[in-house]
Amino acid sequence: MDDEQASGDAPAEARIAAARGSRNDHTRRHNLSALLTAVHYGGPLTRAQLTRDTGLNRSTIGGLVAELAELGLVLEDAAAETGAVGRPSLIVRPRTDVVALALHPDVDALELGAVAIDGTVLARRRASLEVPPTPADTVAFAWEAAREVAAELGGARVVGIGAAVPGLVDADGATVVDAPHLGWRDVVLGDALGDALGIPATVGNDANMGLRAEWSFGAAKGVDTVVYLNGSASGIGGAALVGGRMLRGGRGYGGEFGHMMIRSDGERCSCGRSGCLETEVNAPRLDAAAHDATALDGYAETLAAAIANLECAFDPDAVLLAGYLGALFDVRRSLVTERVKALAFRPDVEDVVIARAALGGNRLLIGAAERAFAPLLQDPAGIPLVSLA
Amino acid sequence: MDDEQASGDAPAEARIAAARGSRNDHTRRHNLSALLTAVHYGGPLTRAQLTRDTGLNRSTIGGLVAELAELGLVLEDAAAETGAVGRPSLIVRPRTDVVALALHPDVDALELGAVAIDGTVLARRRASLEVPPTPADTVAFAWEAAREVAAELGGARVVGIGAAVPGLVDADGATVVDAPHLGWRDVVLGDALGDALGIPATVGNDANMGLRAEWSFGAAKGVDTVVYLNGSASGIGGAALVGGRMLRGGRGYGGEFGHMMIRSDGERCSCGRSGCLETEVNAPRLDAAAHDATALDGYAETLAAAIANLECAFDPDAVLLAGYLGALFDVRRSLVTERVKALAFRPDVEDVVIARAALGGNRLLIGAAERAFAPLLQDPAGIPLVSLA
DNA sequence: GGTATATGTTTTCTCCGAGAACATTTTAAC
DNA sequence: GTTAAAATGTTCTCGGAGAAAACATATACC
């Protein structure tokens, strides 16, 4: 961020900062947040490492860690054998009995998981469905599954529940504006879940949740600028991390890369336009072309054109492909890479990593849980935890 | 920003925050920055307004304003007649003798301006050219013009110089990686300018600078998410403000919307691809079609398709059109608006404002100056000002 | 076993904003 | 015109936060 300050590339940021002054206790909150965030993403860290990473004083770190321990958020272990000179430093790690619930309603199933603050999926429940779930089905399932998971986990404390929904979600983090494959329109799922379970609830787009998970614990760990494309039964979902922040857009509908026009002579799309990426490369087409090398080549080229376009716009450090796009990439890796390079507008395209997403079936649960953990990470002392028992 | 905290949509932000702890004096710097930023963008404000806007205590505001005044950055005037009950509040305004220099090398001219901290262009020098300037020409012109401007302005104090270059600029804010229309490659203009003038120098892409200016004082004032398209002799430059921050990308090459593929059967572009927006809609074509209504309609439709694609990706609050794209929009306003609406994928497209950029010939100078002011706005007490005399 | 080194712990110090008390300046009421 | 009320500026005191120094502790190396 010093880099950012030097180049001064955060104009609106600055104007926003003007809206609120900083009180003295903001400092404490910020530092508690910094420490909890560090052990959340970085795993167990010694107090000495925290001291170096934050630039804070030893004594300050001691006080902050003590407060986090009192809040029941971290534990301190005796130091491991390092072989280094000097008094060994205590190891700080997040308590795994602090969990978030994660919910994923999809066309053919409902799934709920309990995810620990270190990203481990501790328990899960899944119900296969013949028809897409209604919002009421979804809330009922969440309630029942949460009870079962609570019984299984015993005394865990929960920070909230996050839901990953395949569709447009409003920037308020509660309203599903339009989820065509589920048949939902203007469903305030966040409020319904929160009321039913008695814990804070947030809703997000599934692609955003997926990228969040990959950024936290997967293939995009620690990278600053990422474009994410996920191919699923519900079409192609897109998301982007821009300068370390999720692309949201004015109303929360940013990142719909599945509906970027990629062939002006392409087929009519359900969205009313023609030649959208999602209509050109989709699950039925890929299934049909499973043993047709030429057809697969064509789809790979279309994917490459889309990636080149996105690189043009975002100049990402990494492009992440998930779902059937990840599978297509795996069987046409060199073709995609080469075509992107040929189509790329800019120098040093080699710097852009194209990779398949890493987290598999846990991705959405982890991403939704991350979203639920976010308020706790921002204000460790200010967010109450609810006992699951 | 509280909104952001609630929805928790800043994952990497959080991880970055973990890297640095907050010391106590950061608070002071933050608050000084908040005040100077407020009067920079908001014009003269009373101390009472600052108190309300920042949430800080009256006494604290008093101390902060006094420090800014001592630093020579703001002045306090007697209150204006308001007719309200109570002791009138002092008016705080930025001192207009604090300036930044702004430089714009283009294919046919060199231009330098001195811009006050309130966004006013105080003085300018321009040299028309037969052939594009070399980097050496540019630095020599900057030196000479800066001397003249200094003589004209007398005792002004300068914070630095910003240059807006039509081409790819590295994220370091100094290196012009490729400016094809100028014929520059890997020119470290920032260092050359800084050494010659003896003041801090930053270089940026002209489209980014243009958007920055429009965001600060023009048609995108105060808006959070903006897509910007500028048509000029050097092609189409693009830029985006995403969640209040300039889109930069991993290497600083983000926002090159002029090279997004918009027609898969389009003409070959100089960049090696086909059907780029810039090859489909450009100055020569528009000039040739000046009195050909059908052709203009076609270009307007192409522009609309590009805007629809960008709305899909960014969900902006506003789309800003400058240069010949602004002119095209002015003569085909309803056609563009309607086609965008028809092509748009999302609900409530009406919320997206499409508008022509406002600042005209001052845009790049103001934007480049804003860039030079940025470090001062972030740390008012830490940036030395150089006397121009 | 002694020493150097690194870290945890305790104490003291400084800085910052909040808040209370008081001063100042205007409008409104009588 | 005088007085009261309201809003803001000014001064002083207070509590909280991190820094820094002094001291305590635990390890490796000789």
Side-chain angles (χ1 to χ4, degrees):
Chain A
M1 68 253 119
D2 278 341
D3 166 59
E4 182 187 313
Q5 183 175 328
S7 61
D9 232 344
E13 161 89 348
R15 188 182 285 179
I16 290 169
R20 281 268 149 249
S22 171
R23 296 205 191 81
N24 214 347
D25 52 323
H26 286 28
T27 304
R28 185 71 174 187
R29 187 189 314 171
H30 178 269
N31 287 342
L32 285 173
S33 168
L35 290 196
L36 186 58
T37 304
V39 295
H40 171 63
Y41 292 118
L45 293 169
T46 65
R47 271 162 67 166
Q49 280 173 302
L50 290 171
T51 304
R52 279 188 291 270
D53 291 354
T54 59
L56 295 172
N57 193 279
R58 284 211 298 274
S59 58
T60 308
I61 294 289
L64 289 165
V65 171
E67 183 167 348
L68 288 176
E70 248 175 62
L71 289 164
L73 298 174
V74 303
L75 289 175
E76 282 194 288
D77 294 333
E81 310 267 323
T82 62
V85 188
R87 178 174 177 173
S89 189
L90 298 175
I91 292 176
V92 183
R93 60 181 173 84
R95 285 182 62 159
T96 52
D97 59 349
V98 176
V99 305
L101 299 180
L103 178 67
H104 173 46
D106 207 348
V107 276
D108 58 350
L110 284 164
E111 190 166 25
L112 180 137
V115 185
I117 196 171
D118 65 351
T120 321
V121 179
L122 299 175
R124 57 201 308 164
R125 291 293 182 283
R126 187 187 158 90
S128 292
L129 303 173
E130 299 296 320
V131 295
T134 66
D137 294 342
T138 306
V139 174
F141 167 81
W143 189 84
E144 182 62 28
R147 255 191 12 154
E148 293 177 22
V149 163
E152 183 177 336
L153 293 183
R157 288 160 300 148
V158 65
V159 64
I161 182 168
V165 176
L168 290 182
V169 177
D170 192 272
D172 67 2
T175 309
V176 180
V177 176
D178 189 13
H181 295 85
L182 297 177
W184 296 5
R185 284 188 77 96
D186 293 315
V187 174
V188 191
L189 183 65
D191 296 2
L193 276 177
D195 291 347
L197 300 184
I199 53 178
T202 7
V203 185
N205 171 269
D206 56 348
N208 280 306
M209 299 293 202
L211 173 53
R212 180 184 282 263
E214 293 288 339
W215 179 83
S216 294
F217 302 110
K221 199 165 180 172
V223 174
D224 208 46
T225 306
V226 188
V227 166
Y228 174 86
L229 288 170
N230 176 58
S232 77
S234 331
I236 291 181
L241 193 77
V242 175
R245 303 184 140 192
M246 292 293 297
L247 172 71
R248 295 180 41 171
R251 283 143 298 275
Y253 310 154
E256 286 294 339
F257 306 136
H259 291 277
M260 294 189 72
M261 196 274 297
I262 201 67
R263 289 189 59 162
S264 31
D265 59 343
E267 251 180 54
R268 191 88 180 169
C269 174
S270 63
C271 76
R273 307 165 68 187
S274 295
C276 294
L277 175 61
E278 172 170 321
T279 59
E280 296 300 313
V281 184
N282 53 42
R285 285 194 173 186
L286 284 174
D287 285 346
H291 303 292
D292 180 346
T294 321
L296 280 182
D297 285 354
Y299 296 136
E301 293 220 11
T302 305
L303 175 61
I307 292 175
N309 253 3
L310 289 168
E311 287 190 0
C312 220
F314 289 98
D315 183 24
D317 297 316
V319 176
L320 236 56
L321 301 172
Y324 65 73
L325 293 179
L328 173 60
F329 178 63
D330 256 7
V331 297
R332 286 295 183 278
R333 190 174 285 254
S334 58
L335 178 58
V336 170
T337 312
E338 271 163 37
R339 289 301 298 161
V340 168
K341 205 173 287 183
L343 288 173
F345 158 70
R346 71 194 65 262
D348 24 312
V349 251
E350 308 82 32
D351 293 359
V352 183
V353 177
I354 305 177
R356 188 172 186 179
L359 296 175
N362 283 333
R363 189 184 309 126
L364 289 186
L365 293 184
I366 293 175
E370 281 291 290
R371 180 75 177 257
F373 277 125
L376 182 69
L377 292 175
Q378 289 219 346
D379 185 11
I383 305 293
L385 298 176
V386 180
S387 192
L388 258 186
Chain B
M1 64 262 104
D2 279 341
D3 165 61
E4 181 187 313
Q5 183 173 328
S7 60
D9 231 345
E13 161 89 346
R15 187 183 285 176
I16 290 170
R20 283 263 150 254
S22 171
R23 296 207 191 79
N24 215 347
D25 53 324
H26 285 30
T27 305
R28 186 73 173 185
R29 188 188 312 173
H30 178 269
N31 287 342
L32 286 173
S33 168
L35 291 196
L36 186 58
T37 303
V39 295
H40 171 64
Y41 292 119
L45 293 169
T46 66
R47 272 163 67 166
Q49 280 173 303
L50 290 171
T51 303
R52 277 188 293 269
D53 291 353
T54 59
L56 294 171
N57 193 281
R58 284 211 296 276
S59 56
T60 308
I61 294 289
L64 290 166
V65 170
E67 184 167 348
L68 288 177
E70 249 175 59
L71 289 165
L73 299 174
V74 303
L75 290 174
E76 282 194 289
D77 294 333
E81 310 268 323
T82 63
V85 187
R87 176 175 177 172
S89 189
L90 299 175
I91 291 176
V92 182
R93 59 181 173 84
R95 285 181 63 157
T96 51
D97 58 350
V98 175
V99 305
L101 299 181
L103 178 66
H104 174 45
D106 207 347
V107 277
D108 58 351
L110 283 163
E111 190 166 24
L112 180 137
V115 185
I117 197 171
D118 65 350
T120 322
V121 178
L122 299 175
R124 57 201 308 165
R125 290 291 182 283
R126 188 186 158 90
S128 293
L129 304 172
E130 299 297 318
V131 294
T134 66
D137 293 343
T138 306
V139 174
F141 168 81
W143 189 83
E144 182 63 28
R147 255 189 15 153
E148 293 177 22
V149 163
E152 184 177 337
L153 294 182
R157 288 160 300 146
V158 64
V159 64
I161 182 168
V165 176
L168 290 183
V169 178
D170 192 272
D172 68 1
T175 309
V176 179
V177 177
D178 188 13
H181 295 85
L182 297 177
W184 296 5
R185 285 189 77 96
D186 293 315
V187 175
V188 192
L189 184 64
D191 295 1
L193 276 177
D195 291 347
L197 300 183
I199 53 178
T202 7
V203 184
N205 171 270
D206 57 347
N208 280 306
M209 298 294 203
L211 173 53
R212 179 184 283 262
E214 293 289 338
W215 179 84
S216 294
F217 302 109
K221 199 164 178 172
V223 174
D224 210 45
T225 306
V226 188
V227 166
Y228 174 85
L229 288 170
N230 176 58
S232 75
S234 333
I236 291 181
L241 194 77
V242 175
R245 301 184 141 194
M246 292 294 296
L247 172 72
R248 294 182 41 173
R251 283 144 297 275
Y253 311 155
E256 286 294 339
F257 306 135
H259 292 277
M260 295 189 72
M261 195 272 297
I262 201 67
R263 290 188 61 160
S264 31
D265 58 343
E267 251 182 54
R268 190 88 181 171
C269 174
S270 63
C271 76
R273 306 166 67 187
S274 295
C276 294
L277 175 60
E278 171 170 322
T279 59
E280 296 300 312
V281 184
N282 53 41
R285 283 193 175 186
L286 285 175
D287 285 346
H291 304 292
D292 179 347
T294 322
L296 280 182
D297 286 354
Y299 295 136
E301 293 221 12
T302 305
L303 175 60
I307 293 175
N309 253 3
L310 289 168
E311 287 190 1
C312 221
F314 289 98
D315 183 25
D317 297 314
V319 176
L320 237 56
L321 301 171
Y324 64 73
L325 293 179
L328 174 60
F329 178 64
D330 256 7
V331 297
R332 287 294 182 278
R333 189 173 287 254
S334 57
L335 177 59
V336 171
T337 313
E338 271 163 38
R339 289 300 298 159
V340 168
K341 206 172 287 183
L343 289 173
F345 157 71
R346 70 193 66 265
D348 26 310
V349 251
E350 307 82 32
D351 294 359
V352 183
V353 178
I354 305 177
R356 188 172 185 178
L359 296 176
N362 284 333
R363 189 184 308 125
L364 290 185
L365 293 184
I366 293 175
E370 280 291 290
R371 179 75 178 258
F373 277 125
L376 182 69
L377 292 175
Q378 289 219 347
D379 184 12
I383 305 293
L385 298 176
V386 180
S387 191
L388 258 186

